[in-house]
């Protein structure tokens, strides 16, 4: 399939009953959406999906809105879906979707409304972009007489703003995270402490506040302050400064540090999302049971800078903007679970959960389905296998899921949810806390679509119904037929689903924009690929068109999904998809290898494991340690050293020595090629070591094989997607002579296993039999001797594969593991920030630079100061310390403070242009004088070091 919509094809409403051999009833036909004419105001995979779904629904008139930033300014970043949407009148453009300031945002909203009206669109769909949960945007659309395909403005205000949502949750008995949701009101009360002062302020500023609030003496001061603040937003004025807000946040953080010793605090913008507008402080206090007052004050002192970063990142630092920030207890070792919701304003239905704990920079990476049916199945399986602790852990998850679904429906009903939304929670053991509601469709919504479909039944005839398998379709139905739609029944589809987000990030998962995709292999059977149309061929030439990953908005390239009978099945399919995916280009970095290694880590450990949101960074740190250790080895040197050792061992018998040498020569590339690939890519090595964790043991410092190394070698070629394919380049597959040798060896052992009635896992027993002096299995003496000689020949040299296991042994790789209760044990040292930073540099070394320069670590937008109007981080003549922020690099929506890699003095700032200047990776920014002189390592000396380490490694395997 070129598009992921394997379950959308032939799926318009009217055709569904025909598939069942029925004529569509009048009731079913009444839900046609052909009169819907949407303007699609979003980008990425969701835009292409909406186009496909609307076409399937028979919606013939729809248009798309392009941002110049997205599709025009950058060459070769033209939206690929335009290759099939050839009617130019349906393509509309704006400079940017949201605008850079409040004034621009208001202007942009009106511009979008005008485009819709001028082109006969009666609805607007904003996908999962930030416009989708902007209540002012939605209200303006509704006031203009247009439909919004998503939650209405009222629901957006009640549920979309994190502070309002938290207050609503408390009212309907939903478990919430401890914290403060009204720091702006507290800031205002710091200046105007009494009711009389607040009323005087409102009157002086001529604010439109309900007189009932003024006259009712029972109205809490915080509630009155909030009302005055909302009136000030409407008027576009500020009632306190950002400095005053920062001071109040600092004060509240200090109080929380005192009340919750040993915990960190999360600051969260009320309008953020997708990782934007969130910062965590208090790392120095983590696990400190009795912090001193000085430690508390020092930790809280970080708050003002983080507040400014947050407001800048979510563009809420303008005059009249709502600058409220949630101050919440950061629940450590937590899992991130979310419930998919759908409602029409009267009813609300939960559609199971998704585990999104595997994330970094607050951005999700791998999402998996969590359903009551799936957990029930796994509980039964664990009990049958007498895995008591695993069964108990899964039963706890099932109870948490049930409570989350119940609470989510209660919350959705309370806010009048009338479309799709997501109820997000953090799970801590058997407890859960409501976090926020995303009043839009989620990036990972298809994970839910694969496990549940919706059955809408005629209330007057239970045999009259239609099935909806797309949430985008359901949203369109709700926009047009909201009140008439009966509450649907959720119908299980597949047992489990998983989604990997393919992002433009490097091996350390740092954003890496600017590359070109020049080739992308076709999807394999069972692969569901949302690639936003990148794989659509040029309609004139049929060739793949290169695509520029400009990175103006986010790093996501595509969504790769799989489904299965259960989670194990879905993970195996996902591993196969990732293994088969080939991406080529220039200056191209993706997280494809990371995902492949990670998925296989779970396959090798336990796919039912319960990782927390703190999993990925220490996991990456461990992968960095793998690379650090792997770089010390020279595989070719190891092979030649092994060959010399064998020659020395058999020196007394020249004929045997010659035969051994020739055998090893034949096996050289068979063994060393996959080893060099694994040692050169730590993500692949991580996955491989995980899958093979039970195939060896270390005894007295030496590797002992528990299975046939040649079987492992065969599986390694499969793992690396290097099995023989006639049409593939030789560099990407096993070489012909190596394939012939491996197949001959495997056939030899298969025949012996059949003779002795053994299976593949019984290698140790077979090896013992083959070392017996007397003939076995009914063979005569001469035949038995030839069998033993062949066994020696096939096995000789295979021990070099054990070097890979020694890399795991020397990095304590297997100490990072899944326990019987499904919790993941992370060695504490992997949480060390200094080690994490060091391993990030190992995974992706800084760009080459002169000793007297500091260069951009990646492409992005350069900013010299923390926020507009603030002083620059450094100026010419300044001395800077190692780790001190030098500038900010905005990459794909995220603002990253770039620390100094060493101490020194700024001699000259050489970057031209002001804030917002686009820089490329490796571009010189500052001329500096380092405090210490850099000494380059001699390559020959490095080679000698590698050979010395390799020789020590060989002692454990040979």
């Amino acid at each position: 399939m070129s598009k992921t919509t394997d379950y959308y094809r032939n799926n318009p409403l009217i055709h569904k009953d025909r598939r069942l051999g029925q004529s569509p009833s009048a009731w079913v036909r009444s839900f046609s959406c052909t009169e819907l004419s949407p303007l699609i105001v979003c980008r990425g995979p969701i835009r292409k999906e909406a186009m496909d779904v609307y076409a399937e629904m028979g919606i013939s008139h729809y248009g798309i809105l392009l941002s110049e930033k997205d599709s025009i300014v950058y060459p070769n970043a033209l939206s690929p879906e335009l290759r099939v949407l050839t009617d130019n009148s349906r393509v509309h453009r704006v400079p940017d979707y949201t605008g850079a300031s409040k004034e621009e945002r208001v202007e942009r909203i009106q511009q979008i409304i005008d485009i819709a009206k001028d082109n006969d669109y009666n609805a607007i769909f904003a996908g999962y972009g930030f416009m989708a949960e902007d209540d002012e945007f939605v209200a303006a659309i509704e006031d203009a007489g247009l439909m919004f395909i998503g939650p209405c403005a009222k629901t957006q205000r009640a549920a979309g703003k994190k502070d309002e949502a938290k207050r609503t949750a408390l009212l309907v008995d939903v478990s919430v995270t401890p914290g403060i949701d009204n720091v702006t009101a507290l800031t205002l009360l710091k200046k105007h402490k009494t009711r009389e002062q607040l009323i005087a302020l409102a009157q002086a500023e001529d604010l439109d506040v309900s007189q009932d609030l003024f006259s009712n003496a029972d109205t809490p001061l915080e509630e009155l302050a909030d009302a005055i603040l909302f009136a000030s937003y409407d008027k576009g004025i500020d009632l306190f400064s950002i400095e005053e807000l920062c001071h109040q946040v600092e004060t509240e953080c200090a109080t929380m540090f005192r009340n919750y010793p040993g915990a960190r605090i999360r600051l969260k913008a009320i309008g953020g999302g997708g990782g934007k507008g969130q910062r965590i402080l208090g790392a120095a206090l983590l696990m400190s049971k009795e912090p001193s007052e000085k430690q508390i004050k020092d930790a809280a002192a970080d708050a003002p800078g983080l507040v400014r970063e947050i407001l800048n990142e979510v563009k809420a630092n303008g005059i009249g903007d709502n600058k409220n920030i949630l101050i919440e207890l950061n629940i450590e070792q937590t899992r991130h679970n979310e419930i998919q919701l759908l409602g029409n304003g009267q009813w609300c239905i939960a559609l199971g959960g998704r585990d999104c704990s595997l994330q970094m920079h607050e951005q999700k990476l791998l999402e998996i389905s969590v359903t009551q049916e799936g957990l029930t199945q796994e509980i039964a399986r664990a009990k049958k296998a007498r895995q008591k602790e695993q069964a108990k852990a899964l039963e706890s998850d099932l109870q948490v899921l049930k409570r989350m679904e119940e609470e989510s429906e209660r919350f959705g009903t309370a806010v009048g949810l009338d479309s799709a939304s997501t109820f997000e929670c953090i799970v801590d053991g058997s407890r859960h806390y409501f976090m926020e509601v995303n009043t839009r469709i989620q990036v990972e919504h298809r994970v839910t679509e694969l496990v549940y479909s919706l059955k809408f039944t005629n209330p007057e005839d239970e045999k009259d119904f239609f099935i909806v398998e797309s949430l985008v379709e359901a949203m369109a139905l709700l926009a047009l037929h909201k009140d008439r739609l009966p509450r649907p029944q959720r119908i299980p589809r597949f047992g489990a689903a998983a989604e990997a987000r393919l992002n433009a990030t490097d091996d350390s998962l740092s954003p890496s924009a600017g590359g070109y995709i020049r080739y992308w292999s076709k999807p394999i059977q069972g692969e569901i690929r949302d690639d936003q149309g990148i794989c659509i061929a040029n309609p004139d030439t049929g060739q793949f068109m290169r695509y520029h990953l400009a990175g103006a908005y986010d790093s996501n390239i595509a969504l790769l999904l799989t489904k299965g009978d259960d989670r194990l099945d879905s993970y195996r399919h996902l591993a196969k998809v990732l293994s088969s995916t080939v991406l080529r280009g220039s200056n191209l970095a993706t997280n494809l290898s990371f995902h492949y290694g990670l998925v296989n880590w779970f396959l090798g450990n336990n796919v039912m494991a319960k990782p927390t949101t703190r999993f990925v960074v220490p996991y990456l740190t461990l992968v960095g340690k793998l690379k650090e250790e792997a770089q010390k080895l020279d595989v070719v040197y190891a092979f030649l050293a092994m060959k010399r050792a064998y020659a020395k061992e058999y020196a007394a018998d020249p004929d045997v020595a010659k035969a051994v040498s020739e055998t090893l020569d034949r096996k050289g590339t068979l063994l060393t090629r996959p080893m060099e690939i694994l040692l050169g890519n730590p993500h692949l090595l991580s996955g491989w070591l995980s899958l093979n964790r039970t195939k060896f043991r270390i005894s007295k410092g030496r590797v002992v094989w528990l299975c046939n190394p040649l079987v492992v070698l065969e599986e390694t070629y499969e793992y690396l997607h290097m099995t023989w394919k006639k049409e593939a380049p030789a560099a990407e597959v096993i070489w012909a002579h190596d394939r012939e040798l491996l197949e001959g060896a495997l056939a030899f052992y298969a025949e012996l296993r059949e003779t002795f009635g053994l299976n593949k896992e019984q290698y140790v027993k077979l090896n013992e039999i083959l070392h017996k002096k007397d003939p076995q299995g009914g063979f005569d003496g001469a035949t038995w001797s030839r069998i033993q000689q062949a066994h020696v020949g096939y096995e000789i040299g295979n021990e070099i594969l054990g070097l890979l296991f020694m890399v795991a042994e020397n990095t304590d790789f297997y100490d990072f593991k899944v326990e019987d209760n499904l919790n993941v044990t992370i060695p504490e040292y992997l949480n060390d920030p200094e080690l994490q930073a060091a391993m990030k540099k190992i995974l992706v070394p800084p760009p080459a630079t002169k000793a007297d320069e500091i260069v951009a670590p990646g492409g992005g937008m350069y900013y010299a100061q923390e926020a507009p109007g603030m002083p620059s981080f450094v100026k010419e003549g300044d001395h800077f310390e190692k780790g001190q922020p030098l500038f900010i690099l905005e990459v794909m929506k995220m603002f990253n403070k770039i620390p100094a890699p060493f101490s020194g003095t700024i001699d000259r700032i050489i970057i031209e242009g002001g804030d917002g200047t686009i820089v490329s990776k490796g571009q010189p920014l500052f001329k500096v004088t380092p405090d210490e002189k850099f000494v380059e390592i001699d390559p020959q000396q490095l080679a000698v070091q590698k050979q010395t380490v390799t020789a020590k490694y060989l002692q454990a395997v040979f």
Side-chain angles (χ1 to χ4, degrees):
M1 297 169 297
S2 63
K3 181 67 179 76
T4 84
T5 52
D6 60 331
Y7 50 89
Y8 290 141
R9 269 199 191 95
N10 303 315
N11 205 26
L13 282 172
I14 250 176
H15 291 168
K16 286 172 183 158
D17 282 353
R18 287 180 184 168
R19 275 207 325 249
L20 299 172
Q22 304 170 351
S23 298
S25 70
W27 184 80
V28 170
R29 290 197 304 272
S30 73
F31 289 101
S32 169
C33 289
T34 54
E35 64 185 87
L36 199 65
S37 302
L39 174 62
I40 303 171
V41 185
C42 55
R43 59 179 299 282
I46 189 66
R47 178 164 65 197
K48 182 67 173 68
E49 180 185 352
M51 292 169 64
D52 288 348
V53 173
Y54 292 159
E56 292 287 355
M57 295 176 71
I59 298 172
S60 58
H61 183 62
Y62 64 85
I64 67 173
L65 185 72
L66 295 183
S67 160
E68 291 178 359
K69 206 173 178 183
D70 177 27
S71 304
I72 298 172
V73 173
Y74 295 94
N76 300 104
L78 185 67
S79 302
E81 56 265 35
L82 295 186
R83 299 170 195 163
V84 293
L85 188 60
T86 56
D87 183 356
N88 289 334
S89 67
R90 295 163 63 182
V91 181
H92 313 278
R93 294 175 174 84
V94 292
D96 188 9
Y97 290 119
T98 58
S101 64
K102 184 174 183 178
E103 292 74 22
E104 266 191 48
R105 186 165 67 93
V106 172
E107 178 185 341
R108 194 72 65 245
I109 290 171
Q110 189 57 51
Q111 191 175 356
I112 292 170
I113 290 171
D114 290 342
I115 288 172
K117 288 192 167 185
D118 292 344
N119 293 275
D120 296 325
Y121 302 120
N122 59 16
I124 289 177
F125 175 65
Y128 40 66
F130 291 114
M131 299 289 276
E133 46 189 350
D134 183 337
D135 63 295
E136 293 180 19
F137 177 50
V138 177
I141 290 169
E142 293 171 348
D143 291 343
L146 300 172
M147 287 179 282
F148 182 70
I149 302 177
C152 65
K154 181 181 176 183
T155 298
Q156 297 275 4
R157 283 190 289 270
K161 297 297 185 185
K162 294 180 176 63
D163 49 356
E164 290 295 312
K166 195 166 184 178
R167 293 165 197 168
T168 302
L170 287 167
L171 290 174
V172 294
D173 194 28
V174 169
S175 175
V176 300
T177 311
I180 296 162
D181 56 33
N182 62 343
V183 71
T184 45
L186 297 176
T187 304
L188 188 61
L189 285 171
K190 186 83 171 181
K191 295 181 67 177
H192 308 277
K193 297 181 172 59
T194 66
R195 181 179 307 278
E196 290 72 26
Q197 289 174 346
L198 287 173
I199 293 173
L201 172 66
Q203 292 172 342
E205 296 293 347
D206 192 24
L207 298 178
D208 184 13
V209 182
S210 171
Q211 293 300 312
D212 291 340
L213 291 173
F214 291 161
S215 58
N216 186 356
D218 294 330
T219 302
L221 285 180
E222 291 177 14
E223 185 178 329
L224 180 57
D226 256 335
I228 291 172
L229 283 171
F230 276 102
S232 73
Y233 307 149
D234 292 337
K235 193 171 182 180
I237 63 172
D238 280 346
L239 299 180
F240 53 78
S241 67
I242 289 179
E243 287 70 25
E244 289 169 328
L245 172 65
C246 289
H247 178 73
Q248 189 65 36
V249 172
E250 182 177 354
T251 300
E252 301 300 337
C253 285
T255 301
M256 284 192 66
F257 281 137
R258 294 186 191 98
N259 293 339
Y260 299 96
R264 296 187 296 171
I265 292 172
R266 181 182 295 267
L267 303 180
K268 189 189 307 181
I270 61 167
K276 286 186 68 175
Q278 298 192 40
R279 298 293 189 274
I280 298 176
L281 71 159
L285 300 183
L286 193 61
M287 308 308 292
S288 178
K289 294 182 179 179
E290 295 184 6
S292 68
E293 191 61 25
K294 183 180 183 304
Q295 288 176 314
I296 288 172
K297 288 182 177 179
D298 288 346
D302 291 334
L306 299 179
V307 169
R308 292 188 183 95
E309 285 182 28
I310 289 169
L311 295 178
N312 192 37
E313 196 164 84
V314 298
K315 298 179 181 178
N317 52 4
I319 296 174
D321 288 339
N322 185 344
K323 300 178 179 65
N324 198 16
I325 287 176
L326 295 186
I327 306 171
E328 294 184 340
L329 185 68
N330 191 65
I331 308 296
E332 306 294 339
Q333 296 293 352
T334 181
R335 288 183 291 149
H336 182 168
N337 280 197
E338 59 190 28
I339 305 297
Q340 178 64 59
L341 287 176
L342 197 71
N344 79 334
Q346 280 79 47
W347 52 257
C348 182
I349 184 172
L351 299 175
R354 299 182 290 254
D355 192 315
C356 306
S357 302
L358 294 166
Q359 51 184 258
M360 188 175 177
H361 307 310
E362 308 296 335
Q363 299 241 337
K364 301 165 188 174
L365 294 163
L366 185 68
E367 299 111 348
I368 55 177
S369 62
V370 183
T371 65
Q372 294 187 35
E373 294 85 355
L375 286 172
T376 300
Q377 180 184 26
E378 293 296 341
I379 290 167
R381 191 172 291 162
K383 287 181 176 179
K384 185 176 181 180
R386 297 185 179 180
Q387 298 168 326
K388 294 182 179 179
E389 289 194 55
Q390 179 161 326
K392 183 178 178 181
L394 293 170
E395 286 173 337
S396 173
D397 276 2
L398 178 58
Q399 294 307 312
V400 170
L401 175 61
K402 288 178 178 179
R403 290 199 302 271
M404 286 192 297
E405 288 193 288
E406 290 167 1
E407 289 186 9
S408 67
E409 290 187 354
R410 203 157 60 234
F411 181 91
T413 302
V415 298
L417 178 63
D418 58 351
S419 190
S421 286
T422 307
F423 184 85
E424 303 216 16
C425 298
I426 51 178
V427 177
D428 181 20
S430 60
R431 299 174 298 172
H432 76 279
Y433 301 97
F434 165 70
M435 187 165 53
E436 64 190 41
V437 165
N438 283 309
T439 48
R440 54 178 167 85
I441 198 164
Q442 291 281 93
V443 176
E444 59 276 16
H445 66 277
R446 289 198 155 184
V447 172
T448 294
E449 292 176 355
L450 287 169
V451 294
Y452 286 123
S453 58
L454 294 164
K455 180 180 180 182
F456 291 90
T457 303
N458 186 341
E460 298 178 0
D461 182 358
E462 64 180 17
K463 295 182 180 179
D464 190 14
F465 63 88
F466 59 89
I467 304 292
V468 172
E469 296 172 338
S470 158
L471 286 170
V472 171
E473 181 178 347
M475 292 174 74
L477 277 164
L478 285 162
L480 195 59
H481 305 289
K482 190 167 299 181
D483 296 337
R484 294 183 54 245
L485 276 171
R487 189 179 195 274
Q489 177 187 0
R490 67 184 194 188
I491 308 295
R493 295 186 67 206
F494 302 101
E499 174 184 279
R501 296 196 193 188
L502 181 62
N503 294 335
T505 55
D506 60 26
D507 277 348
S508 70
L509 299 190
S510 295
S512 180
Y516 281 88
I517 298 176
R518 300 179 183 273
Y519 171 79
W520 195 337
S521 56
K522 294 181 179 179
I524 65 170
Q525 182 67 33
E527 175 180 351
I528 300 173
R529 180 190 297 177
D530 264 356
D531 60 21
Q532 60 188 294
I534 295 174
C535 286
I536 298 175
N538 185 313
D540 298 320
T541 66
Q543 299 298 308
F544 184 91
M545 294 177 67
R546 70 176 186 171
Y547 182 74
H548 186 199
L549 297 169
Y553 291 101
D554 60 55
S555 62
N556 186 237
I557 302 171
L559 310 172
L560 306 177
L561 293 103
T562 55
K563 57 188 183 296
D565 293 334
D566 52 27
R567 188 176 295 180
L568 179 61
D569 196 23
S570 67
Y571 263 84
R572 283 173 173 164
H573 280 302
L574 186 55
K576 189 174 181 181
V577 166
L578 294 166
S579 170
S580 305
T581 300
V582 178
L583 270 168
R584 296 196 187 97
S586 53
N587 191 30
L588 181 63
T590 74
N591 61 352
L592 187 63
S593 292
F594 160 79
H595 274 306
Y596 190 47
L598 181 69
V599 167
N600 281 291
W601 187 92
F602 281 101
L603 284 169
N605 285 272
N606 191 328
V607 296
M608 299 309 297
K610 302 201 282 191
T612 71
T613 53
R614 294 179 63 197
F615 176 96
V616 171
V617 174
Y619 171 78
L620 276 178
T621 304
L622 180 60
V623 174
K625 285 179 64 64
L626 282 181
K627 181 176 181 180
E628 183 181 49
E629 192 69 18
Q631 288 176 333
K632 299 175 183 177
L633 299 181
D634 184 333
V635 174
V636 173
Y637 173 82
F639 185 82
L640 295 175
M642 181 178 66
K643 188 177 176 183
R644 288 193 297 270
Y646 270 118
K648 184 177 179 180
E649 182 179 345
Y650 294 108
D653 192 332
D655 291 337
V656 173
K658 181 181 179 182
V660 168
S661 178
E662 290 175 349
T663 299
L664 287 172
D665 284 342
R666 288 189 65 200
K667 299 179 77 170
T669 54
L670 174 67
L671 293 166
T672 59
R673 282 187 71 214
M675 287 184 66
E676 287 185 305
I677 292 172
L678 288 170
L679 291 172
N681 188 320
H683 288 297
L684 297 183
L685 181 58
S686 172
W688 186 89
L689 289 172
S690 301
L691 291 174
N692 290 286
R693 64 186 305 129
T694 61
K695 296 178 181 177
F696 78 103
R697 61 182 171 86
I698 303 293
S699 177
K700 297 180 181 179
R702 295 177 64 86
V703 175
V704 178
W705 286 89
L706 303 179
C707 70
N708 192 333
L710 288 169
V711 172
V712 172
L713 191 60
E714 176 193 31
E715 293 171 349
T716 300
Y717 274 95
E718 292 174 355
Y719 173 80
L720 296 174
H721 199 56
M722 292 177 67
T723 50
W724 174 256
K725 296 178 284 290
K726 185 177 180 180
E727 70 284 356
E732 296 178 6
V733 295
I734 188 172
W735 288 346
H737 64 278
D738 289 336
R739 172 187 167 217
E740 180 182 349
L741 177 61
L742 183 59
E743 288 181 348
L746 293 172
F748 169 77
Y749 288 108
E751 186 175 343
L752 285 176
R753 288 198 304 271
E754 185 176 353
T755 298
F756 294 110
L758 304 174
N759 57 42
K760 271 188 177 183
E761 286 70 40
Q762 293 178 293
Y763 166 74
V764 174
K765 187 171 183 180
L766 176 62
N767 196 38
E768 290 174 352
I769 293 172
L770 290 172
H771 278 84
K772 290 184 178 181
K773 185 176 181 180
D774 296 331
Q776 304 292 310
F779 294 108
D780 59 50
T783 302
W784 186 244
S785 178
R786 288 196 299 273
I787 288 173
Q788 289 181 314
Q789 290 174 14
H791 175 53
V792 171
Y794 281 131
E795 292 290 286
I796 199 167
N798 296 346
E799 55 266 51
I800 195 174
L801 288 171
L803 293 180
L804 300 174
F805 296 129
M806 290 309 300
V807 171
E809 181 72 7
N810 291 336
T811 55
D812 298 321
F813 178 78
Y814 293 117
D815 288 349
F816 197 122
K817 59 186 177 182
V818 179
E819 304 292 351
D820 292 342
N821 64 0
L822 300 181
N823 289 331
V824 178
T825 292
I826 300 175
E828 187 56 38
Y829 76 93
L830 293 174
N831 292 312
D832 179 7
E834 290 188 8
L835 179 65
Q836 292 172 350
M839 291 304 102
K840 181 176 181 179
K841 289 183 179 179
I842 292 291
L843 286 171
V844 182
T849 177
K850 298 176 183 177
D852 63 347
E853 287 181 347
I854 287 179
V855 304
M861 286 190 178
Y862 169 92
Y863 296 91
Q865 66 271 331
E866 194 166 52
M870 296 191 67
S872 298
F873 287 107
V874 291
K875 59 183 184 296
E876 292 183 358
D878 282 356
H879 182 270
F880 57 89
E881 298 294 336
K882 181 180 180 181
Q884 175 184 334
L886 296 180
F887 57 94
I888 285 177
L889 196 64
E890 180 189 4
V891 189
M892 296 171 170
K893 298 190 302 183
M894 304 300 290
F895 287 76
N896 306 283
K897 281 186 182 177
I898 306 302
F902 50 81
S903 299
T905 301
I906 302 288
D907 297 327
R908 185 161 58 92
I909 298 175
I910 55 180
I911 177 175
E912 296 181 357
D915 283 351
T917 300
I918 296 177
V919 298
S920 57
K921 183 176 183 179
Q923 178 178 333
L925 304 177
F926 307 111
K927 280 288 184 182
V928 301
T929 299
D931 286 352
E932 298 179 13
K933 186 177 180 180
F934 292 94
V935 179
E936 293 188 8
I937 299 176
D938 182 359
Q940 290 185 342
Q941 181 183 351
L942 185 62
V944 171
Q945 290 175 355
K946 291 180 72 169
Q947 292 172 7
T948 302
V949 173
T950 303
K952 291 181 179 178
Y953 261 79
L954 280 171
Q955 294 174 7
V957 300
F958 179 69

